[in-house]
């Protein structure tokens, strides 16, 4: 019986708890304790006395107490078995060599036992079949992220200081890399307090009030009637923009009363503005919808906000609100037209750079502490230039028009100014402003960008683990289980040994190798780029760089397809060509994560997006538009 | 007495020296007597430690390298070796999640009626529910120093029914929030504020009515948060607390400039931030704003470079013990200062200090930082004299614990669940609603005997 994989089951199977322990394990490899088994934790006191051949895989799983860590159905989300990473042979070997994590107890499961248990465990893997329609997302409220709040304030009130104002609000919670997860930030006491103070500050410093009021020239000493008349105009008109939908009668009454509490219209404005900006109708964007055939269909205003916050990170503009008012957004064609319009608007540029940076996990580069005795040319200014370079690069690729996924990895242009070009050792730019320039393949694609390289490095040297994980997790959407505990001491820094050699313990210790064989080789491909993104051919005491390696398992780490490369260019070429399907699917997954605000997007929905996208034109612009045609786009349950 | 504050200069994000805090004065003047009920302070330090370098040998107080900076306050400390975080995973993130929640991650998941909620939040809620007696103005405070890079759900240590809470590390934001009152300059403005708040609460109620079960918990949290705000704005709110001049103290926030908080984690400013944040925490406890604070030094996997070192804390934690010591001693020196300040802060007419009336507990996201386990987590208690805590000792509770999958120690090692300590603290302080799912099966899951001077739980 083939069953549809539900998101709940998916959540419990696909690696839930991939830890930063993977991202930041020992940077220096070296001799580990000589007794690996003493490093393994103990869990079981069970023993198996009957011969293996008489027992089934399920019985052996139980007898060897595998459930103690992995759960009765191999579904313990805190000690996950990432089914996608295993096939019969590799899993049987793993069990044979390293399981269970027990010291000195005669419960080793080897040979036939390992074979049977592997077969049993793999039989528990969920079967994904996408022949039924995916479930719609639940009805929900999405709290504006701080960034969305800042943009909205700027657009609503004609301000430019949104980014400054939000510094008082507690930082958003990122989940699976994105700050707009629907279950991320909440209205905690600290946050609500901050919203209140910020609203007050905004009201105190707002200019251009007469225009915003929209009720004509204001009098010095207005009568109560004058104030009321102005409120009757202002509250519905401005309220509609603030709430991104018309106010209902109850709301109109309440907010008009607030306005009328002012002694002047300016005061009424200030009070009402403060009320609007702290209202849940402002702070949350609604995905509740109206009942329709057992589900809920988002109304036009909700669709307008969904579009504008996805593509602009801000409130709908007048055109979009008018389209909503006329009900035009119920038409798939109009929806798409509006989306295309939004994508061409300058407001999309910053938003898509934001998406890209979260996807690649490249935060604030200048916050990375770097040892400037080692990296003497590096500075905060260079770091900022690198961020500009990356933003411009991503914006061009994502929104420039005809670029495809492969271009992300192989595009032969970038954006440089004089200082950054010099820093990179390229002498092709002579202006303070950034220019689009052609570069050779040493600087092709996103993985050679200084920002990406600098973030994925430590203060003194490279970090092949972080760089390797960037590829596996962010670009190929592959997950890992947990690192083992108690792995022993790490060899200290030694400039007479290349980093590759100092990290060799990862491959020598079988407990580590299971994961690190998939990570380290990819990280070493970056060795021609130092910890601040500069190109080099030697490291340490003039040791020659070796950036060769193999990418094994493009689609899944259980696969054995092997792709050799000589350097980072070779690796990026592999990603763009042999890896095209996987990187496309992964990018679509990440986009779903972002626009849906979920950590684990529905596999089938992503597949549908990819089909639609590739059938259209395969350009990145069409990826951003592809979900709009999904029947579930407008629906909630 | 009406409570008004004149904090126009204290617009959020700006930093100036403030006008007198009339609200605090008003509140303390109204306090019938000094309120000296027990308080709690949970201090997180990042990336674990090396047990042999952290714990004095049981029965002695000869401080090893990592805890040497605590020499000046060691009479106030009770080192607890042998604690483990129950359940999996044994990672940074697992430890962040467990250290203040006692939350079980064993399978099937051990449930709690409070969901994933940390001790500071649980205690705060009970205090808030009883605020007529406790007279606090905020349920609990989550704050810290150098909490940048902590914006990931996986790195937080404080939770409220599964919602993670940010530890505010910018005193320019925290100070006005805690001590700023309503910010209204006149009675009329104050009345308007209350009207505005009432409209917002009305909006929320309408939304809750319309949505029913959809997003119910989220909106309930929002409503609770508005209640806290309302208490802050209400002119008739009276608080209880220390009437000393401490409560009118205004910190020097100008030293941090008026720029963004991006720079408050930089090595050269970390000490100054730590100092001011400690003062704010002490002020909050001593002046009765709250009874429970979670203070986070750094965050799990913190890459912060502390003064005296040239590499990130996390990188150092993966080198040898001596290397890790170079950064650990900075955090420990901060904690030593913190404890010393509390010892020097009067709290109560009976000559007690704030430290006497506060139970301090340190936690971390790991036990052995390099080995990534949850065993021998670097924990000590401090203060709590008026709670009957006997300090100036180091004990090892492991022999009284159990073997099993706790903190990933080796087969023959025993440990006590650290949530036994959390549960003990909650009981000693008189809380009745707190739940920590993974208290030990052996004994009664408490350490009351150790608390009172024994070597055993």
């Amino acid at each position: 019986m083939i069953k549809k994989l539900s998101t709940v089951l998916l959540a419990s199977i696909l690696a839930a708890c991939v830890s930063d322990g993977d991202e930041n394990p020992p940077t220096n490899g070296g001799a580990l304790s000589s007794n690996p088994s003493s490093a393994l934790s103990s869990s079981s006191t069970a023993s198996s006395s009957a011969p293996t051949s008489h027992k089934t895989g399920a019985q052996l799983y139980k007898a060897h107490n595998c459930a103690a860590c992995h759960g009765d159905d191999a579904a313990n989300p805190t000690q996950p078995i990432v089914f996608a990473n295993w096939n019969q042979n590799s899993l049987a070997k793993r069990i044979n060599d390293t399981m269970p994590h027990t010291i000195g107890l005669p419960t080793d499961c080897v040979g036939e036992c390992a074979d049977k248990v592997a077969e049993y465990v793999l039989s528990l893997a969920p079967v994904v079949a996408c022949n039924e329609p995916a479930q719609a997302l639940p009805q929900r409220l999405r709290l504006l992220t701080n960034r969305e709040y800042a943009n909205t304030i700027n657009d609503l009130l004609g301000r430019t200081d949104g980014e400054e104002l939000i510094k008082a609000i507690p930082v958003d919670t990122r989940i699976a890399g994105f700050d707009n997860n629907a279950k991320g930030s909440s209205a905690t006491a600290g946050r609500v307090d901050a919203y209140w103070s910020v609203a007050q500050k905004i009201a105190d410093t707002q200019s251009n009030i007469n225009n915003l009021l929209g009720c004509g020239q204001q009098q010095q000493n207005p009568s109560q009637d004058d104030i009321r008349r102005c409120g009757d105009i202002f509250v519905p008109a401005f309220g509609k923009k603030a709430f991104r939908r018309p106010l209902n009668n109850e709301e109109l009454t309440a907010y008009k009363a607030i306005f009328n509490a002012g002694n002047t219209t300016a005061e009424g404005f200030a009070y009402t503005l403060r009320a609007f900006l702290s209202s849940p109708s402002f702070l949350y964007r609604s995905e509740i919808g109206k009942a329709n055939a057992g589900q809920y269909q988002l109304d036009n205003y909700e669709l307008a906000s969904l579009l504008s916050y996805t593509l602009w990170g801000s409130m709908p503009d007048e055109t979009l609100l008018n389209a909503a008012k006329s009900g035009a957004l119920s038409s798939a064609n109009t929806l798409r037209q509006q989306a295309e319009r939004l994508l061409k608007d300058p407001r999309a540029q910053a938003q898509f750079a934001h998406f890209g940076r979260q996807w690649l996990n490249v935060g604030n580069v200048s916050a990375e502490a770097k040892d400037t005795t080692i990296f003497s040319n590096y500075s905060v200014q260079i770091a900022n230039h690198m961020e500009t370079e990356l933003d411009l690069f991503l914006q061009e690729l994502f929104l420039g028009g005809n670029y495809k996924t492969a271009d992300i990895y192989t595009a032969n242009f970038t954006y440089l100014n004089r200082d950054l070009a010099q820093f990179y050792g390229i002498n092709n730019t002579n202006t303070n402003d950034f220019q689009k320039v052609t570069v050779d393949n040493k600087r092709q694609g996103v993985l050679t960008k200084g920002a990406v390289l600098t973030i994925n490095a430590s203060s003194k040297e490279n970090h092949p683990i972080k760089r390797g994980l960037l590829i596996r997790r962010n670009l190929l959407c592959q997950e890992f289980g947990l690192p083992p505990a108690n792995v022993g001491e790490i060899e200290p820094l030694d400039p007479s040994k290349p980093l590759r050699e100092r990290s060799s313990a990862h491959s020598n210790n079988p407990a580590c190798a299971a994961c690190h064989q998939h990570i380290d080789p990819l990280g070493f491909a970056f060795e021609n780029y130092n910890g601040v993104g500069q190109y080099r051919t030697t490291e340490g005491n003039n040791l020659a760089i070796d950036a060769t390696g193999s990418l094994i398992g493009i689609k899944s780490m259980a696969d054995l397809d092997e792709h050799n490369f000589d350097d980072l260019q070779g690796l990026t070429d592999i990603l763009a060509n042999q890896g095209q399907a996987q990187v496309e699917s992964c990018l679509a997954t990440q986009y779903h994560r972002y626009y849906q605000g979920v950590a684990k997007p529905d596999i089938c929905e992503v597949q549908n997006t990819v089909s639609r996208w590739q059938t259209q034109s395969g350009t990145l612009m069409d990826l951003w538009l592809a979900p709009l045609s999904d029947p579930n786009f407008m629906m909630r349950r | 007495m009406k409570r008004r504050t004149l904090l126009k200069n204290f617009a959020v994000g700006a930093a100036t020296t403030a006008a007198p805090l009339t609200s605090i004065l008003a509140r303390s003047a109204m306090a019938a007597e000094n309120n000296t009920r027990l308080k709690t302070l949970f201090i997180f330090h990042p990336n674990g430690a090396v047990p042999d370098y952290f714990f004095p040998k049981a029965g002695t107080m000869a401080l090893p390298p990592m805890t040497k900076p605590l020499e000046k306050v060691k009479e106030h400390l009770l080192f607890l070796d042998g604690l483990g975080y129950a359940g999996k995973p044994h990672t940074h993130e697992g430890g962040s999640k467990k250290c203040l929640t006692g939350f079980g991650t064993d399978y099937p998941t051990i449930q709690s009626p409070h969901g994933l909620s940390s001790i500071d939040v649980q205690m705060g809620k009970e205090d808030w529910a009883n605020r007529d007696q406790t007279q606090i103005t905020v349920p609990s405070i989550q704050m810290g120093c150098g909490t940048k890079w902590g914006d990931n759900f996986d790195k937080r240590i404080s939770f409220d029914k599964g919602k993670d809470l940010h530890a505010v590390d910018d005193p320019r934001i925290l100070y006005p929030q805690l001590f700023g009152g309503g910010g209204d300059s006149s009675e009329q403005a104050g009345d308007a504020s209350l009207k505005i708040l009432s409209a917002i609460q009305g909006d929320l109620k309408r939304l809750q009515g319309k949505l029913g079960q959809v997003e119910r918990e989220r909106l309930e949290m929002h409503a609770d948060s508005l209640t806290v705000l309302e208490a802050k704005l209400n002119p008739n709110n009276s608080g209880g607390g220390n009437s000393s001049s401490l409560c009118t103290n205004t910190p020097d926030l100008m030293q941090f400039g008026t720029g963004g908080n991006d720079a408050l984690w930089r090595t050269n400013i970390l000490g100054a931030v730590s100092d001011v944040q400690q003062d704010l925490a002490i002020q909050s406890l001593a002046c009765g704003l709250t009874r429970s604070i979670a203070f986070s030094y750094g965050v799990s996997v913190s890459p912060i470079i502390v003064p005296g070192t040239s590499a990130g804390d996390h990188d150092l934690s993966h080198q040898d013990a001596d290397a890790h010591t170079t950064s650990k001693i900075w955090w420990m020196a901060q904690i030593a200062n913190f404890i010393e300040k509390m010892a020097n802060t009067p709290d109560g007419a009976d000559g007690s200090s704030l430290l006497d009336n506060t139970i301090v507990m340190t936690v971390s996201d790991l036990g052995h930082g390099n080995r990534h386990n949850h065993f021998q987590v670097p924990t000590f208690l401090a203060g709590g004299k008026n709670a009957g805590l006997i300090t100036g000792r180091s004990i090892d509770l492991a022999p009284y614990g159990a073997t099993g999958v706790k903190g990933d120690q080796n087969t023959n090692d025993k440990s006590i669940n650290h949530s036994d300590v959390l549960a003990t603290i909650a009981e000693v302080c008189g809380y009745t609603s707190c739940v920590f799912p993974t208290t030990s099966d052996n004994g009664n899951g408490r350490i009351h005997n150790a608390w009172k001077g024994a070597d055993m739980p």
Side-chain angles (χ1 to χ4, degrees), chain A residues 209-219 229-230 233-234 265:
Chain A
I209 293 180
N210 273 340
N211 271 346
L212 291 166
L213 277 172
C215 43
Q217 191 60 32
Q218 293 314 294
Q219 297 167 348
R229 266 194 291 269
C230 185
I233 296 172
F234 168 72
T265 50

Side-chain angles (χ1 to χ4, degrees), chain A residues 20 141 168 193 255 279 486, chain B residues 12 155 164 203 218 232 408:
Chain A
D20 260 324
L141 297 171
D193 190 291
Y255 285 96
S279 165
N486 296 321
Chain B
V12 162
K155 297 208 167 69
D164 59 295
D203 252 0
R218 241 160 149 225
K232 182 172 159 180
D408 316 295

Side-chain angles (χ1 to χ4, degrees), chain B residues 334-414:
Chain B
Q334 300 311 302
I335 298 177
N337 290 345
F338 212 160
I339 292 171
E340 186 179 50
K341 285 180 191 175
M342 290 172 75
N344 293 337
T345 303
D347 191 40
D350 59 357
S352 294
S353 71
L354 181 63
L355 187 63
D356 292 336
N357 289 325
T358 307
I359 298 157
V360 182
M361 177 183 182
T362 65
V363 292
S364 188
D365 51 329
L366 293 175
H368 192 298
N370 187 36
R371 294 185 191 158
H372 271 205
N373 64 26
H374 287 175
F375 176 48
Q376 292 183 282
V377 285
T379 303
F380 54 81
L381 301 177
K385 176 154 150 255
N386 291 346
L389 183 66
I390 308 297
T391 56
R393 305 182 294 141
S394 177
I395 60 179
D396 183 2
L397 293 175
Y400 308 99
T403 58
V405 187
K406 266 192 277 289
D408 316 295
Q409 73 275 24
N410 297 322
T411 326
N412 300 319
D413 288 334
K414 300 178 180 179

Side-chain angles (χ1 to χ4, degrees), chain B residues 53-56 63-71 79 329 332 380:
Chain B
Y53 276 51
F54 189 88
F55 293 106
L63 300 179
M66 281 184 172
T67 45
K68 245 288 168 269
L70 293 155
E71 189 72 35
F79 282 89
I329 53 174
M332 289 299 127
F380 54 81

Side-chain angles (χ1 to χ4, degrees), chain A residues 508-580:
Chain A
N508 298 344
N509 182 329
C512 307
C515 292
H516 277 274
Q517 65 179 313
H518 296 292
I519 304 171
D520 295 27
L522 304 184
F524 292 135
F526 289 82
E527 280 301 283
N528 284 113
Y529 301 85
N530 68 11
V532 290
Q534 292 169 312
Y535 191 82
R536 62 180 191 175
T537 50
T538 62
E539 66 171 301
N541 293 345
N542 250 342
L543 308 160
I545 296 280
D546 173 11
T548 60
S550 256
L551 166 53
I552 303 179
I554 280 189
K555 192 161 178 329
S556 147
M557 289 188 282
D559 296 336
L560 301 172
D561 53 300
E562 200 170 314
H563 311 269
N564 299 325
F565 51 83
D566 288 332
D567 52 23
L568 186 60
Q569 286 64 48
L571 176 55
T572 49
D573 285 342
I574 291 168
L575 291 172
N577 297 304
Q578 296 97 311
Q580 185 183 339

Side-chain angles (χ1 to χ4, degrees), chain A residues 80-344:
Chain A
I81 297 174
V82 187
F83 293 100
N85 292 354
W86 303 102
N87 57 37
Q88 174 66 28
N89 283 341
S90 61
L91 187 55
K93 182 174 191 324
R94 175 95 161 118
I95 294 170
N96 186 85
D97 292 350
T98 67
M99 292 288 152
H101 277 308
T102 307
I103 296 112
L105 295 181
T107 59
D108 284 355
C109 178
V110 298
E112 189 183 348
C113 175
D115 288 339
K116 283 186 171 180
V117 171
E119 197 181 333
Y120 166 68
V121 165
L122 288 174
S123 76
L124 298 169
V127 181
V128 183
C130 296
N131 47 12
E132 288 162 30
Q135 245 188 341
L137 292 169
Q139 288 177 298
R140 57 213 184 146
L141 297 171
R142 295 179 73 176
L143 189 66
L144 295 184
T145 65
N146 290 357
R147 207 191 127 82
E148 290 168 351
Y149 182 99
N151 290 341
T152 306
I153 292 294
N154 284 348
D155 287 345
L156 181 66
L157 296 163
R159 300 178 74 109
T160 52
D161 61 346
E163 218 177 294
E164 192 59 37
L165 289 165
I166 58 172
K167 285 172 175 165
I169 306 177
V171 292
D172 292 301
T173 300
R174 289 173 64 202
I175 296 183
F178 293 98
D179 62 1
N180 64 350
N181 189 293
K183 294 196 175 151
S185 305
S186 323
T188 58
R191 187 174 277 273
V192 166
D193 190 291
Y195 286 142
W196 177 266
S197 310
V198 172
Q200 185 145 22
K201 180 164 190 201
I202 290 172
D204 287 346
T205 55
Q206 185 62 39
S207 58
N208 204 16
I209 293 180
N210 273 340
N211 271 346
L212 291 166
L213 277 172
C215 43
Q217 191 60 32
Q218 293 314 294
Q219 297 167 348
Q220 285 283 55
N221 292 310
S223 67
Q224 211 44 43
D225 268 350
D226 291 329
I227 296 177
R228 187 186 46 76
R229 266 194 291 269
C230 185
D232 285 350
I233 296 172
F234 168 72
V235 170
F238 188 83
K240 178 175 172 179
K241 288 189 211 156
F243 286 3
R244 307 176 287 271
R245 57 161 175 82
L247 270 55
N248 61 34
N249 287 333
E250 268 181 302
E251 289 166 337
L252 287 170
T253 309
Y255 285 96
K256 284 179 184 174
I258 296 286
F259 192 92
N260 292 339
N263 288 329
T264 62
T265 50
E267 219 168 55
F269 169 85
Y271 293 164
T272 318
L273 180 63
R274 286 168 61 193
F276 280 145
L277 295 184
S278 273
S279 165
S281 301
F282 171 78
L283 295 169
Y284 295 101
R285 39 188 180 107
S286 158
E287 292 184 15
I288 300 296
K290 301 210 163 25
N292 181 348
Q295 294 198 323
Y296 298 88
Q297 181 160 345
L298 299 184
D299 69 34
N300 269 239
Y301 289 104
E302 290 173 314
L303 283 172
S305 283
L306 182 55
L307 275 191
S308 71
Y309 279 99
T310 301
L311 304 178
W312 283 349
S314 189
M315 57 181 277
D317 64 358
E318 199 79 33
T319 311
L320 199 49
L321 279 177
N322 284 339
K325 181 174 171 188
S326 70
L329 296 179
S330 306
S331 141
N333 271 343
T334 314
L335 198 62
R336 190 186 170 92
Q337 269 167 26
Q338 285 299 316
E340 282 169 350
R341 176 179 75 85
L342 266 57
L343 282 173
K344 295 199 178 84

Side-chain angles (χ1 to χ4, degrees), chain A residues 17-22 24-28 38-44 67-73 75-79 102-103 105 139-143 164-165 167-177 181-194 196-198 200-201 243 248 250-251 254-255 257-258 261-263 267 270-272 274-275 278-281 283-284 286 288 364 366-371 380 458-460 463 482-490 492, chain B residues 8 11-14 50 87-94 97 105-109 138-140 147-156 160 162-166 168 170 173 176-178 181-184 188-189 192-201 203-207 210-211 214-215 218-219 221-226 228-229 232-233 258-262 265-267 300-301 303 305 310-312 314-315 318-321 368 370-373 404-412:
Chain A
C17 299
V18 186
S19 77
D20 260 324
D22 279 326
N24 299 291
T27 55
N28 307 316
S38 69
L40 301 175
S41 62
S42 128
S43 65
S44 147
C69 289
H70 294 292
D72 285 334
D73 41 6
N76 182 357
T78 62
Q79 193 88 35
T102 307
I103 296 112
L105 295 181
Q139 288 177 298
R140 57 213 184 146
L141 297 171
R142 295 179 73 176
L143 189 66
E164 192 59 37
L165 289 165
K167 285 172 175 165
I169 306 177
V171 292
D172 292 301
T173 300
R174 289 173 64 202
I175 296 183
N181 189 293
K183 294 196 175 151
S185 305
S186 323
T188 58
R191 187 174 277 273
V192 166
D193 190 291
W196 177 266
S197 310
V198 172
Q200 185 145 22
K201 180 164 190 201
F243 286 3
N248 61 34
E250 268 181 302
E251 289 166 337
Y255 285 96
I258 296 286
N263 288 329
E267 219 168 55
Y271 293 164
T272 318
R274 286 168 61 193
S278 273
S279 165
S281 301
L283 295 169
Y284 295 101
S286 158
I288 300 296
N364 179 206
S366 63
E368 296 298 305
K370 296 288 175 184
D371 190 330
V380 164
S458 70
S459 59
K460 295 185 197 292
H463 202 312
L482 298 176
N486 296 321
V487 283
E489 303 301 336
I490 299 303
Chain B
K8 282 188 135 161
V12 162
V50 176
K88 293 161 275 296
H90 51 264
T91 55
H92 285 282
E93 291 71 17
K97 207 171 184 171
T105 52
D106 283 321
Y107 186 77
T109 314
V138 290
S140 58
T147 60
K148 188 175 168 68
W149 297 282
D151 63 345
N152 198 299
F153 180 83
D154 285 339
K155 297 208 167 69
R156 309 271 204 196
D160 180 354
K163 297 293 174 200
D164 59 295
L165 302 175
H166 173 64
V168 182
D170 190 337
I173 293 170
Q177 213 172 67
L178 294 177
D184 291 316
Q188 185 209 353
S193 280
L194 289 173
K195 278 207 179 82
I196 293 168
L197 182 59
S198 182
I200 295 164
Q201 287 171 313
D203 252 0
L204 186 60
K205 266 208 175 60
R206 273 192 292 272
L207 188 57
K210 178 176 155 202
L211 295 185
V214 175
E215 297 282 34
R218 241 160 149 225
L219 294 180
M221 177 188 269
H222 198 150
D224 287 344
S225 301
L226 286 172
V228 177
L229 180 61
K232 182 172 159 180
L233 297 176
T258 53
N261 62 357
D262 300 344
W265 46 270
R266 289 211 189 270
T267 307
S300 168
V301 201
I305 296 183
S310 61
H314 180 254
D315 284 348
H318 278 294
Q319 294 179 27
D320 59 24
H368 192 298
N370 187 36
R371 294 185 191 158
H372 271 205
N373 64 26
V405 187
K406 266 192 277 289
D408 316 295
Q409 73 275 24
N410 297 322
T411 326
N412 300 319

